[in-house]
Amino acid sequence: IDDSGIQKILDKASQIQQTTMYSDDAMTGAAAELATYFEDTEAITRMMDTVIDYAAGMSGGVELSTEEIIDYTTNLAKMTTGAYDAMTKKGFEVTDAQKKILETGTDMEKVAVIESIIQENREGMALAMSNTPTGQLTRMKNSFGDISEMIGDKLSPGVTSLFRMLNNKMPTISKLLEG
């Protein structure tokens, strides 16, 4: 994936965080996992929407860690390698025609099939769950996390310099405190 593809993925992750309760960090992790199964950036960004609906439906709409989002992503992406049993056990049907496309299709064709399987009963789930009181709180927490990261990036040089100076002066400070 080239630089413009990476930027598209980051933009998609940011857009998902703005409209759902899933953090951009978690979605970047999901995209990295998807990149092990798909080469097409457009397929990856499209699949990210399917991942959030699947994750929202399977988790009951609770807040998920990055690792949990990546696990849900892996479950979906593994369908491209012929791993359908886990999905059928969860109530999703995969027809023989869909299996054929998942085995031999282009990235976009594979994504379209996975999307159709999941969206049949999960479409819009992430957005709906994100608008619940719990979802709203999670969205606010994600926003505060981004603000903290931004402030930390700006303050980091000054804070690092302060700690370095304190560490260098610690023997003197210790002697003063002991006295």
Side-chain angles (χ1 to χ4, degrees), residues 17 20-24 63 137-147:
Q17 178 172 305
T20 72
M21 66 183 152
Y22 301 109
S23 74
D24 55 354
E63 182 178 2
L137 287 172
T138 302
R139 288 173 69 180
M140 188 181 322
K141 183 175 136 187
N142 289 339
S143 294
F144 283 137
D146 282 352
I147 291 168

Side-chain angles (χ1 to χ4, degrees), residues 2-89:
D2 62 11
D3 288 345
S4 69
I6 291 170
Q7 190 57 53
K8 285 180 185 177
I9 289 168
L10 293 174
D11 291 345
K12 182 64 174 180
S14 178
Q15 180 260 324
I16 287 172
Q17 178 172 305
Q18 291 172 13
T19 58
T20 72
M21 66 183 152
Y22 301 109
S23 74
D24 55 354
D25 293 337
M27 294 316 301
T28 303
E33 178 66 11
L34 290 169
T36 64
Y37 294 88
F38 303 104
E39 293 179 16
D40 185 339
T41 302
E42 296 299 322
I44 292 169
T45 57
R46 183 172 166 183
M47 187 70 177
M48 290 166 75
D49 287 324
T50 303
V51 167
I52 61 173
D53 282 337
Y54 175 69
M58 296 305 292
S59 70
V62 300
E63 182 178 2
L64 298 170
S65 69
T66 298
E67 293 76 22
E68 289 168 317
I69 289 287
I70 291 171
D71 287 344
Y72 283 121
T73 302
T74 302
N75 289 342
L76 288 178
K78 278 186 177 180
M79 290 178 23
T80 64
T81 65
Y84 314 110
D85 291 343
M87 297 305 290
T88 56
K89 287 178 184 173

Side-chain angles (χ1 to χ4, degrees), residues 170-179:
M170 199 52 69
T172 304
I173 293 169
S174 283
K175 285 180 186 176
L176 287 172
L177 290 174
E178 288 173 10

Side-chain angles (χ1 to χ4, degrees), residues 45-176:
T45 57
R46 183 172 166 183
M47 187 70 177
M48 290 166 75
D49 287 324
T50 303
V51 167
I52 61 173
D53 282 337
Y54 175 69
M58 296 305 292
S59 70
V62 300
E63 182 178 2
L64 298 170
S65 69
T66 298
E67 293 76 22
E68 289 168 317
I69 289 287
I70 291 171
D71 287 344
Y72 283 121
T73 302
T74 302
N75 289 342
L76 288 178
K78 278 186 177 180
M79 290 178 23
T80 64
T81 65
Y84 314 110
D85 291 343
M87 297 305 290
T88 56
K89 287 178 184 173
K90 293 174 182 166
F92 295 98
E93 291 184 33
V94 183
T95 67
D96 288 338
Q98 289 170 325
K99 287 178 185 178
K100 183 72 173 164
I101 293 169
L102 288 170
E103 292 167 11
T104 61
T106 66
D107 283 356
M108 286 303 281
E109 290 169 339
K110 292 175 183 180
V111 167
V113 167
I114 295 170
E115 187 177 63
S116 70
I117 292 167
I118 301 307
Q119 299 301 356
E120 189 173 311
N121 58 8
R122 300 275 194 273
E123 187 170 12
M125 186 73 68
L127 186 59
M129 294 296 191
S130 295
N131 288 319
T132 65
T134 301
Q136 291 291 326
L137 287 172
T138 302
R139 288 173 69 180
M140 188 181 322
K141 183 175 136 187
N142 289 339
S143 294
F144 283 137
D146 282 352
I147 291 168
S148 295
E149 287 173 14
M150 183 179 67
I151 291 171
D153 288 345
K154 292 192 187 303
L155 293 178
S156 182
V159 172
T160 302
S161 176
L162 173 65
F163 285 133
R164 189 175 298 122
M165 187 265 310
L166 287 172
N167 281 329
N168 290 338
K169 302 287 184 187
M170 199 52 69
T172 304
I173 293 169
S174 283
K175 285 180 186 176
L176 287 172

